[in-house]
Amino acid sequence: MAAATERVAGAAPAGYTALAVKFGERQRSPHCLLVKEHQVREGADTAHPPRRTLFVLNVPPYCGPDSLSRLFSRCGHVQSVDICDKPGPGEKKEKPTSKFFNRKTITGFQVAYVVFRKPAGVQAAKALSQEGPLLISTETHPVKTGISKWIASYEASVVDPKELKAEVDAYMQDYDKKMAEEEAKAAKEEGVPDEEGWVKVTRKGRKPGLPRTEAANLRVLEKEKQKRARKELLNFYAWQHRETKREHIAQLRKKFEEDKQRIALMRAQRKFRPY
């Protein structure tokens, strides 16, 4: 097993160290995590500070933040573990405020940023390549797979109506408060010229004007056209019938005269004129 670990470690890309891991004791072939020290400019990555962050590639789907934290806890105190679908700028992310909305599920192999409290943790984690394969799922900390994982995912997907209602009510209260603040600010700034001397004029009333897009304008025009068509009662009165017939006969006569002229012109063009 040590020879296999050394062979895998030797195949690691430049700058990376290969760590052999196994899902459980019964798994024969190890999986490799590629790790290196996360290096960025000072202040460029606020969420993943340099010298204290371990960048991990090839993280399998069954290896979550808790599993990575437990794997590297032997190297020092793990402050945080951030798993992403691909590498990117590590700006500090706001904690998800919603339990039901904007939840993103990452599938496939991922990358991770493991932040230690001290820089020595990063070097100790890279030194794990000299040891045997690390176990992700143990008896004390089992990782759910198969039917047990599906059942847990289904139970987590069931929404509690009371919690959902409480979250929606809290969101709507915050929204109403925000809109009231914006309206108060707009009322305060009404009639006050800006830096260039322009005064913003808005429409007031029960139905204030809203900016229309091209699609909205087309919908309004179509509704007005349908409204006018409903008001017009075609062929309802006798005189409307007479006018319609008279116009139809006039169009037929006009077309008949045009056809006669066209036929006469065609006959004239076919006449043989030797001189």
Side-chain angles (χ1 to χ4, degrees):
M1 183 63 67
T5 305
E6 292 176 0
R7 185 165 59 252
V8 171
Y16 287 89
T17 302
L19 303 182
V21 297
K22 292 199 306 182
F23 178 79
E25 284 284 356
R26 295 192 297 178
Q27 186 179 3
R28 296 182 179 180
S29 301
H31 176 79
C32 280
L33 299 178
L34 304 177
V35 301
K36 73 172 185 177
E37 181 181 348
H38 183 52
Q39 297 178 351
V40 292
R41 297 190 304 272
E42 290 289 342
D45 197 340
T46 56
H48 312 136
R51 297 194 304 274
R52 292 195 297 115
T53 302
L54 184 72
F55 179 58
V56 187
L57 281 177
N58 205 26
V59 180
Y62 51 80
C63 189
D66 295 337
S67 300
L68 286 178
S69 178
R70 185 178 54 80
L71 280 178
F72 294 109
S73 60
R74 68 188 70 186
C75 305
H77 180 76
V78 177
Q79 186 173 336
S80 65
V81 177
D82 186 13
I83 294 183
C84 312
D85 55 347
K86 59 182 179 179
E91 300 176 356
K92 283 195 173 181
K93 300 180 180 179
E94 298 180 357
K95 292 184 178 181
T97 57
S98 175
K99 183 180 177 181
F100 307 100
F101 305 102
N102 299 327
R103 296 179 61 183
K104 184 179 180 182
T105 302
I106 301 176
T107 58
F109 286 82
Q110 309 150 67
V111 300
Y113 298 88
V114 182
V115 181
F116 292 91
R117 180 175 292 178
K118 296 181 180 179
V122 176
Q123 305 304 324
K126 294 168 65 176
L128 291 176
S129 60
Q130 306 301 324
E131 302 182 8
L134 308 175
L135 297 180
I136 295 177
S137 179
T138 60
E139 294 182 359
T140 56
H141 299 88
V143 177
K144 293 182 178 180
T145 58
I147 296 179
S148 59
K149 181 180 179 181
W150 296 339
I151 293 175
S153 300
Y154 173 76
E155 292 177 349
S157 64
V158 177
V159 177
D160 186 359
K162 294 182 179 179
E163 293 183 5
L164 178 61
K165 183 177 183 302
E167 181 175 330
V168 172
D169 292 342
Y171 176 83
M172 292 307 301
Q173 289 178 2
D174 295 339
Y175 176 79
D176 293 340
K177 182 180 178 181
K178 181 180 178 181
M179 293 302 296
E181 292 176 353
E182 292 181 357
E183 291 178 359
K185 182 179 178 181
K188 184 178 179 181
E189 295 178 354
E190 183 179 2
V192 180
D194 57 9
E195 298 178 355
E196 298 180 357
W198 294 93
V199 178
K200 184 177 180 181
V201 179
T202 58
R203 177 182 172 184
K204 291 185 177 181
R206 293 184 178 179
K207 297 182 180 180
L210 297 175
R212 290 181 178 175
T213 60
E214 184 177 356
N217 290 331
L218 292 176
R219 286 195 297 268
V220 171
L221 293 175
E222 184 66 22
K223 287 183 179 180
E224 292 179 355
K225 183 178 179 181
Q226 294 176 359
K227 187 176 179 181
R228 288 195 303 267
R230 285 195 299 267
K231 290 183 178 180
E232 296 178 359
L233 299 176
L234 299 178
N235 297 331
F236 183 77
Y237 299 101
W239 63 268
Q240 289 180 329
H241 282 283
R242 290 195 298 270
E243 290 291 334
T244 303
K245 291 182 178 179
R246 189 179 293 109
E247 291 176 0
H248 182 61
I249 293 173
Q251 291 178 0
L252 291 177
R253 288 175 177 173
K254 181 179 179 181
K255 188 174 182 302
F256 178 71
E257 294 297 330
E258 291 175 353
D259 292 341
K260 284 176 62 178
Q261 294 178 3
R262 185 169 64 254
I263 292 173
L265 181 61
M266 292 171 63
R267 287 177 177 175
Q269 291 176 351
R270 289 175 60 186
K271 187 174 296 184
F272 178 70
R273 294 178 180 176
Y275 302 105

